[in-house]
Amino acid sequence: MSAHLLTRPPRPFDLYLVDGVLAVVLGAALCAYAALEAPLHGGVREPVWVSVLTGAVIGLPVALRRRWPVAVAVAVSTSTAVALLTGIIPNFAAAAPAVAIGLAFYTLAVAEPVRRSLTYAGMCLAVVSVGLATTAGDLWTRGGAVGYAAVMIAPAWLVGWSIRERRAFAARQSEQLVRQAATEERLRVARELHDVVAHTMSLIVVKAAVANHVADVDPGEARDALRVIERTGRTALTDIRRVLGALREGAEHAPAPGIGELPELADRAAIGGVEVRLDVRQDVAEVSAVPESVGLAAYRIVQEAVTNVVKHAAPAACHASVVVGPAEVRVEVVDDGRRPVRMSGYGHGLTGMRERVALHGGEFSAGPRPDGGFAVTARLPYRGVA
């Protein structure tokens, strides 16, 4: 039971309980003991009940320091100054209220904005300094009394201020991580939707053009093209629902496409007039070791590369090679088509492929081949070599 209390985060009740114990033991009892001390140079001693009451007035407010930090700091400082001025607490016992003062000003610095807490700390420092300076004698001068008051207040306030700054920095860091995660999630969804829509829409446009061209002369082929469009559209809707469904809290996670779905991808590319020769080399032991994210990235890279062939180079032949090694997956897609080379930059498809590879710390290249066609290569590392 005790181990559980030490390991779990403290609850508000636990914190208030600790403050209550500190208020009674370190504050009220210690301050009451100081008030019971007799003055060094004689004088009238107050009744015992006055000493006990003074200790309670100084120490007990500490129990509420987390709820009303400003009020507690003012109350502890004022009551300490009054006790010193009236002689209830002798000047040589002024260190006793320092415990309550330190706890109060630590909480004040932690809970309140810097300007507000610093203002109240200065006001309370002046009040305590007056009490100490008025009773100055053999122990310290009036200037030393101000320094002694600063020692009672400043260190506790500085510790509280530093902790407040650290917590604020941690909160900003956490918020930045949340924003970064949200941005990365938006980019991931954008890449997935682009790859799904671009691939399927390219096939649909190609088959729609065929159906429109042969509708009058060959209705049978037109109907075949329409069936392909229907099947491709349904596949696209399924993929889009999977991507968007993953965003809903509590939605069942559908398995993402991976290296095992590449043959189906090659079959769909043939519909668009591109003959894909797929070469997947892998060991059975290594397939299960490939993370899902790496398999998805390899699938999407092949998909986007083949889609570009359909859009820009069909009819053409395409060779897609995927090699699954013990520490990385290598992807290469090469076609023999003739496409215009855009010198102004790449489209979103190549950018998405480059981002996928960068997320896994790999290498990516894409560009025209010297003897014609286009080549896309990627290396996706997924774990260190054993």
Side-chain angles (χ1 to χ4, degrees):
M1 182 67 178
S2 59
H4 176 67
L5 292 175
L6 293 175
T7 55
R8 66 171 173 80
R11 298 171 300 180
F13 174 78
D14 300 331
L15 297 176
Y16 281 113
L17 182 62
V18 171
D19 287 344
V21 173
L22 289 174
V24 173
V25 176
L26 299 180
L30 190 61
C31 293
Y33 179 79
L36 290 171
E37 290 291 326
L40 288 177
H41 303 291
V44 180
R45 294 190 60 175
E46 72 279 357
V48 174
W49 68 268
V50 174
S51 301
V52 174
L53 179 61
T54 301
V57 171
I58 295 175
L60 291 183
V62 172
L64 302 174
R65 64 192 177 103
R66 299 180 193 274
R67 187 172 182 83
W68 296 299
V70 174
V72 169
V74 172
V76 172
S77 302
T78 304
S79 56
T80 298
V82 172
L84 291 170
L85 286 170
T86 57
I88 296 177
I89 294 182
N91 54 4
F92 66 86
V99 177
I101 291 176
L103 290 172
F105 278 90
Y106 163 81
T107 308
L108 177 68
V110 170
E112 297 295 327
V114 176
R115 182 175 298 180
R116 177 179 169 86
S117 66
L118 192 58
T119 300
Y120 280 102
M123 294 169 54
C124 295
L125 175 61
V127 171
V128 176
S129 298
V130 169
L132 290 171
T134 303
T135 60
D138 298 336
L139 294 179
W140 53 65
T141 63
R142 295 183 185 275
V146 178
Y148 190 82
V151 169
M152 297 172 71
I153 292 176
W157 186 90
L158 288 173
V159 171
W161 170 79
S162 65
I163 290 180
R164 176 183 175 86
E165 291 298 307
R166 287 179 58 185
R167 290 177 180 175
F169 175 75
R172 290 193 299 269
Q173 217 173 21
S174 176
E175 184 180 355
Q176 182 179 0
L177 290 175
V178 170
R179 289 199 302 266
Q180 182 179 353
T183 301
E184 291 176 353
E185 181 66 11
R186 286 196 298 270
L187 289 175
R188 184 192 69 81
V189 173
R191 282 193 299 267
E192 288 292 300
L193 290 178
H194 172 272
D195 292 346
V196 170
V197 173
H199 176 70
T200 55
M201 290 305 295
S202 298
L203 297 179
I204 288 174
V205 169
V206 169
K207 298 309 291 184
V210 171
N212 183 58
H213 182 70
V214 302
D216 295 331
V217 297
D218 193 345
E221 186 175 351
R223 282 192 296 272
D224 290 340
L226 291 175
R227 280 193 290 268
V228 171
I229 292 174
E230 179 185 8
R231 186 168 64 250
T232 305
R234 291 183 185 277
T235 302
L237 287 175
T238 301
D239 289 342
I240 291 174
R241 289 194 189 99
R242 179 186 56 80
V243 174
L244 298 180
L247 300 178
R248 298 190 180 96
E249 185 177 0
E252 185 178 355
H253 176 68
I259 297 174
E261 284 70 35
L262 287 176
E264 300 177 8
L265 176 64
D267 293 339
R268 290 199 298 269
I271 299 174
V274 174
E275 180 186 351
V276 179
R277 183 163 58 90
L278 181 63
D279 182 15
V280 179
R281 285 175 284 170
Q282 57 189 6
D283 295 335
V284 176
E286 292 169 352
V287 174
S288 59
V290 177
E292 181 181 359
S293 60
V294 175
L296 175 62
Y299 178 89
R300 293 303 187 197
I301 289 171
V302 175
Q303 182 186 51
E304 180 61 30
V306 171
T307 300
N308 286 338
V309 177
V310 172
K311 290 193 295 185
H312 302 295
C318 176
H319 177 222
S321 172
V322 178
V323 180
V324 180
E328 64 182 16
V329 176
R330 289 186 173 271
V331 178
E332 183 179 30
V333 181
V334 179
D335 69 82
D336 60 0
R338 298 288 179 177
R339 74 179 72 198
V341 179
R342 295 181 299 172
M343 303 303 295
S344 59
Y346 297 117
H348 295 295
L350 292 179
T351 300
M353 287 191 282
R354 195 180 302 277
E355 290 175 350
R356 288 183 185 277
V357 174
L359 284 175
H360 294 87
E363 300 173 357
F364 176 81
S365 64
R369 302 168 61 204
D371 54 348
F374 204 81
V376 173
T377 60
R379 184 181 66 87
L380 299 165
Y382 58 89
R383 65 181 173 85
V385 180

